[in-house]
Amino acid sequence: AQKVTQAQTEISVVEKEDVTLDCVYETRDTTYYLFWYKQPPSGELVFLIRRNSFDEQNEISGRYSWNFQKSTSSFNFTITASQVVDSAVYFCALSEEPNDYKLSFGAGTTVTVRA
Amino acid sequence: DVKVTQSSRYLVKRTGEKVFLECVQDMDHENMFWYRQDPGLGLRLIYFSYDVKMKEKGDIPEGYSVSREKKERFSLILESASTNQTSMYLCASRMIQGKNLYEQYFGPGTRLTVT
């Protein structure tokens, strides 16, 4: 069964629009970690954020923000005032104790920002 | 900066050939990983290595083997390449202590085509 679901396959926006990427996860563990990675056209995945299951505070980093809601098992990612450089594939991932090394990735959402 | 390098960006092999994909990291990380990435499926773990000469099967190990004789190098071997192994292969590494404990650092990927 898919542990991480990214329902949006592709999103296309015009520069300066906001874009929100959805991520829904499934786990029975009380201790787990959620991640977002960005994969630009160059191919190398870039780590964006890690959240543990005990920290539900939302986080903002520049134009990026994350909304973690345990009640709905969601960890959504918003890019504010998108730029062409934000064009990439974005992956949400989950790791669970005790095998915290093992990341279960969602299928990814391709974001295209048009000038 | 952590650097994970992979021996080739693009590789074309024939069915039945033995294929070696090499990965090197320069940050003395204990853990190393091999993933394959396919459209609509995200990244799936093939093999994981705890440390030198230590390995563990991931979710899709069939048709693959690995070798880790030195800490910095993790090789993925396709004993007899088949067309269904055409994919993007990503290597990653991770330290097992420190503030970036759970972050995996990825290489640029090798796009393998088996004809």
Short mmCIF file of all heavy atoms in Angstrom, two decimals, chain A residues 48-79:
data_model
loop_
_atom_site.label_atom_id
_atom_site.label_comp_id
_atom_site.label_asym_id
_atom_site.label_seq_id
_atom_site.Cartn_x
_atom_site.Cartn_y
_atom_site.Cartn_z
N LEU A 48 14.72 19.72 1.39
CA LEU A 48 14.09 20.99 1.74
C LEU A 48 13.76 21.07 3.22
O LEU A 48 14.03 22.08 3.88
CB LEU A 48 12.81 21.20 0.92
CG LEU A 48 12.98 21.34 -0.59
CD1 LEU A 48 11.62 21.49 -1.25
CD2 LEU A 48 13.87 22.53 -0.92
N ILE A 49 13.14 20.02 3.76
CA ILE A 49 12.71 20.09 5.14
C ILE A 49 12.49 18.68 5.70
O ILE A 49 12.20 17.74 4.96
CB ILE A 49 11.41 20.90 5.29
CG1 ILE A 49 11.12 21.19 6.77
CG2 ILE A 49 10.24 20.17 4.62
CD1 ILE A 49 9.97 22.15 7.00
N ARG A 50 12.67 18.57 7.01
CA ARG A 50 12.30 17.36 7.74
C ARG A 50 11.47 17.79 8.94
O ARG A 50 11.78 18.77 9.61
CB ARG A 50 13.54 16.63 8.25
CG ARG A 50 13.23 15.48 9.18
CD ARG A 50 14.50 14.78 9.64
NE ARG A 50 15.33 15.62 10.48
CZ ARG A 50 15.17 15.76 11.80
NH1 ARG A 50 14.20 15.14 12.43
NH2 ARG A 50 16.00 16.52 12.49
N ARG A 51 10.42 17.01 9.19
CA ARG A 51 9.56 17.26 10.33
C ARG A 51 9.39 15.98 11.11
O ARG A 51 9.18 14.93 10.52
CB ARG A 51 8.17 17.69 9.86
CG ARG A 51 7.85 19.14 9.97
CD ARG A 51 7.74 19.59 11.38
NE ARG A 51 7.51 21.00 11.49
CZ ARG A 51 8.48 21.87 11.74
NH1 ARG A 51 9.72 21.47 11.80
NH2 ARG A 51 8.19 23.12 11.91
N ASN A 52 9.46 16.01 12.44
CA ASN A 52 9.14 14.81 13.18
C ASN A 52 7.69 14.87 13.64
O ASN A 52 7.08 15.93 13.70
CB ASN A 52 10.12 14.57 14.33
CG ASN A 52 9.92 15.52 15.48
OD1 ASN A 52 8.81 15.64 16.00
ND2 ASN A 52 10.97 16.20 15.90
N SER A 53 7.18 13.72 14.00
CA SER A 53 5.75 13.59 14.27
C SER A 53 5.30 14.34 15.52
O SER A 53 4.09 14.53 15.73
CB SER A 53 5.37 12.11 14.40
OG SER A 53 6.22 11.45 15.32
N PHE A 54 6.25 14.74 16.35
CA PHE A 54 5.88 15.43 17.58
C PHE A 54 5.90 16.95 17.44
O PHE A 54 5.61 17.67 18.38
CB PHE A 54 6.81 15.01 18.72
CG PHE A 54 6.74 13.53 18.98
CD1 PHE A 54 7.78 12.71 18.63
CD2 PHE A 54 5.61 12.97 19.56
CE1 PHE A 54 7.71 11.33 18.85
CE2 PHE A 54 5.53 11.62 19.80
CZ PHE A 54 6.59 10.80 19.44
N ASP A 55 6.25 17.40 16.26
CA ASP A 55 6.38 18.84 16.06
C ASP A 55 5.41 19.28 14.97
O ASP A 55 5.71 19.19 13.78
CB ASP A 55 7.81 19.17 15.65
CG ASP A 55 8.03 20.66 15.48
OD1 ASP A 55 7.06 21.44 15.71
OD2 ASP A 55 9.15 21.06 15.12
N GLU A 56 4.25 19.78 15.39
CA GLU A 56 3.23 20.18 14.43
C GLU A 56 3.29 21.65 14.07
O GLU A 56 2.41 22.16 13.39
CB GLU A 56 1.83 19.85 14.97
CG GLU A 56 1.44 18.39 14.76
CD GLU A 56 -0.03 18.17 14.98
OE1 GLU A 56 -0.82 18.43 14.05
OE2 GLU A 56 -0.39 17.73 16.09
N GLN A 57 4.30 22.33 14.52
CA GLN A 57 4.42 23.74 14.18
C GLN A 57 4.63 23.90 12.68
O GLN A 57 5.43 23.18 12.08
CB GLN A 57 5.63 24.35 14.90
CG GLN A 57 5.32 24.84 16.28
CD GLN A 57 6.44 25.75 16.77
OE1 GLN A 57 7.60 25.55 16.47
NE2 GLN A 57 6.07 26.75 17.55
N ASN A 58 3.93 24.86 12.12
CA ASN A 58 4.17 25.17 10.72
C ASN A 58 5.51 25.87 10.59
O ASN A 58 5.99 26.49 11.54
CB ASN A 58 3.05 26.04 10.17
CG ASN A 58 1.76 25.28 10.06
OD1 ASN A 58 1.75 24.06 9.88
ND2 ASN A 58 0.64 25.97 10.19
N GLU A 59 6.09 25.75 9.43
CA GLU A 59 7.41 26.34 9.24
C GLU A 59 7.43 27.17 7.96
O GLU A 59 6.80 26.83 6.97
CB GLU A 59 8.48 25.25 9.14
CG GLU A 59 9.88 25.80 8.94
CD GLU A 59 10.94 24.90 9.51
OE1 GLU A 59 10.63 24.05 10.36
OE2 GLU A 59 12.10 25.05 9.09
N ILE A 60 8.16 28.27 8.04
CA ILE A 60 8.33 29.14 6.88
C ILE A 60 9.82 29.34 6.66
O ILE A 60 10.57 29.59 7.60
CB ILE A 60 7.66 30.51 7.10
CG1 ILE A 60 6.14 30.32 7.29
CG2 ILE A 60 7.93 31.44 5.93
CD1 ILE A 60 5.42 31.60 7.66
N SER A 61 10.23 29.20 5.40
CA SER A 61 11.62 29.46 5.05
C SER A 61 11.61 30.26 3.75
O SER A 61 11.44 29.69 2.66
CB SER A 61 12.38 28.14 4.89
OG SER A 61 13.70 28.38 4.45
N GLY A 62 11.74 31.55 3.88
CA GLY A 62 11.69 32.40 2.68
C GLY A 62 10.33 32.30 2.01
O GLY A 62 9.29 32.57 2.64
N ARG A 63 10.30 31.89 0.76
CA ARG A 63 9.02 31.78 0.03
C ARG A 63 8.36 30.41 0.24
O ARG A 63 7.29 30.16 -0.28
CB ARG A 63 9.28 31.99 -1.47
CG ARG A 63 9.75 33.39 -1.82
CD ARG A 63 9.91 33.60 -3.31
NE ARG A 63 10.92 32.73 -3.89
CZ ARG A 63 10.65 31.65 -4.61
NH1 ARG A 63 9.41 31.29 -4.86
NH2 ARG A 63 11.64 30.90 -5.11
N TYR A 64 9.03 29.54 0.98
CA TYR A 64 8.51 28.20 1.21
C TYR A 64 7.83 28.13 2.58
O TYR A 64 8.36 28.69 3.55
CB TYR A 64 9.64 27.17 1.19
CG TYR A 64 10.33 26.96 -0.12
CD1 TYR A 64 11.50 26.20 -0.18
CD2 TYR A 64 9.87 27.51 -1.31
CE1 TYR A 64 12.16 25.97 -1.38
CE2 TYR A 64 10.52 27.29 -2.51
CZ TYR A 64 11.67 26.53 -2.54
OH TYR A 64 12.32 26.30 -3.73
N SER A 65 6.73 27.42 2.65
CA SER A 65 6.10 27.16 3.95
C SER A 65 5.49 25.77 3.93
O SER A 65 5.13 25.24 2.87
CB SER A 65 5.04 28.23 4.26
OG SER A 65 4.01 28.22 3.29
N TRP A 66 5.40 25.20 5.14
CA TRP A 66 4.89 23.85 5.26
C TRP A 66 3.80 23.82 6.34
O TRP A 66 3.94 24.43 7.40
CB TRP A 66 6.02 22.88 5.65
CG TRP A 66 6.99 22.68 4.54
CD1 TRP A 66 6.95 21.74 3.56
CD2 TRP A 66 8.16 23.46 4.28
NE1 TRP A 66 8.02 21.87 2.73
CE2 TRP A 66 8.78 22.93 3.14
CE3 TRP A 66 8.75 24.56 4.90
CZ2 TRP A 66 9.94 23.45 2.59
CZ3 TRP A 66 9.92 25.09 4.36
CH2 TRP A 66 10.50 24.52 3.22
N ASN A 67 2.76 23.07 6.06
CA ASN A 67 1.63 22.93 6.98
C ASN A 67 1.48 21.46 7.33
O ASN A 67 1.09 20.65 6.49
CB ASN A 67 0.36 23.47 6.29
CG ASN A 67 -0.82 23.46 7.22
OD1 ASN A 67 -1.00 22.52 7.99
ND2 ASN A 67 -1.64 24.48 7.16
N PHE A 68 1.79 21.12 8.58
CA PHE A 68 1.74 19.74 9.05
C PHE A 68 0.50 19.58 9.91
O PHE A 68 0.35 20.28 10.92
CB PHE A 68 3.01 19.43 9.86
CG PHE A 68 3.07 18.06 10.46
CD1 PHE A 68 2.37 16.99 9.92
CD2 PHE A 68 3.85 17.84 11.58
CE1 PHE A 68 2.45 15.73 10.49
CE2 PHE A 68 3.95 16.57 12.14
CZ PHE A 68 3.25 15.53 11.60
N GLN A 69 -0.39 18.69 9.53
CA GLN A 69 -1.61 18.45 10.30
C GLN A 69 -1.77 16.96 10.55
O GLN A 69 -2.15 16.21 9.64
CB GLN A 69 -2.83 19.01 9.57
CG GLN A 69 -2.85 20.53 9.52
CD GLN A 69 -4.22 21.08 9.15
OE1 GLN A 69 -5.07 20.36 8.62
NE2 GLN A 69 -4.45 22.35 9.44
N LYS A 70 -1.50 16.54 11.77
CA LYS A 70 -1.63 15.12 12.10
C LYS A 70 -3.08 14.66 12.01
O LYS A 70 -3.34 13.50 11.66
CB LYS A 70 -1.09 14.85 13.51
CG LYS A 70 0.42 14.88 13.57
CD LYS A 70 0.94 14.76 14.98
CE LYS A 70 0.90 13.35 15.47
NZ LYS A 70 1.65 13.20 16.74
N SER A 71 -4.01 15.53 12.29
CA SER A 71 -5.42 15.13 12.29
C SER A 71 -5.88 14.65 10.91
O SER A 71 -6.76 13.80 10.80
CB SER A 71 -6.30 16.29 12.75
OG SER A 71 -6.14 17.41 11.90
N THR A 72 -5.26 15.19 9.87
CA THR A 72 -5.62 14.80 8.50
C THR A 72 -4.48 14.05 7.81
O THR A 72 -4.55 13.77 6.61
CB THR A 72 -6.00 16.03 7.66
OG1 THR A 72 -4.90 16.97 7.70
CG2 THR A 72 -7.26 16.68 8.18
N SER A 73 -3.43 13.74 8.58
CA SER A 73 -2.25 13.04 8.03
C SER A 73 -1.74 13.73 6.77
O SER A 73 -1.52 13.11 5.72
CB SER A 73 -2.58 11.58 7.71
OG SER A 73 -2.91 10.89 8.88
N SER A 74 -1.57 15.03 6.88
CA SER A 74 -1.12 15.77 5.71
C SER A 74 0.09 16.64 6.05
O SER A 74 0.25 17.10 7.18
CB SER A 74 -2.25 16.64 5.17
OG SER A 74 -2.61 17.63 6.10
N PHE A 75 0.90 16.85 5.06
CA PHE A 75 2.11 17.68 5.21
C PHE A 75 2.26 18.44 3.90
O PHE A 75 3.03 18.08 3.02
CB PHE A 75 3.32 16.78 5.50
CG PHE A 75 4.58 17.54 5.82
CD1 PHE A 75 4.57 18.64 6.66
CD2 PHE A 75 5.81 17.12 5.29
CE1 PHE A 75 5.75 19.32 6.96
CE2 PHE A 75 6.99 17.79 5.60
CZ PHE A 75 6.95 18.89 6.44
N ASN A 76 1.52 19.54 3.79
CA ASN A 76 1.44 20.27 2.53
C ASN A 76 2.52 21.34 2.45
O ASN A 76 2.97 21.89 3.46
CB ASN A 76 0.06 20.91 2.38
CG ASN A 76 -1.02 19.85 2.29
OD1 ASN A 76 -0.77 18.69 1.94
ND2 ASN A 76 -2.25 20.24 2.61
N PHE A 77 2.88 21.66 1.23
CA PHE A 77 4.00 22.56 0.94
C PHE A 77 3.51 23.68 0.02
O PHE A 77 2.89 23.39 -1.00
CB PHE A 77 5.09 21.72 0.27
CG PHE A 77 6.26 22.47 -0.30
CD1 PHE A 77 6.74 23.63 0.29
CD2 PHE A 77 6.92 21.99 -1.42
CE1 PHE A 77 7.84 24.30 -0.22
CE2 PHE A 77 8.03 22.65 -1.95
CZ PHE A 77 8.48 23.80 -1.35
N THR A 78 3.77 24.90 0.43
CA THR A 78 3.35 26.05 -0.38
C THR A 78 4.55 26.87 -0.81
O THR A 78 5.42 27.19 0.01
CB THR A 78 2.36 26.94 0.40
OG1 THR A 78 1.19 26.18 0.69
CG2 THR A 78 1.98 28.18 -0.41
N ILE A 79 4.57 27.20 -2.09
CA ILE A 79 5.56 28.13 -2.62
C ILE A 79 4.82 29.44 -2.89
O ILE A 79 3.86 29.47 -3.67
CB ILE A 79 6.19 27.62 -3.93
CG1 ILE A 79 6.82 26.24 -3.72
CG2 ILE A 79 7.24 28.62 -4.43
CD1 ILE A 79 7.28 25.58 -5.01
#
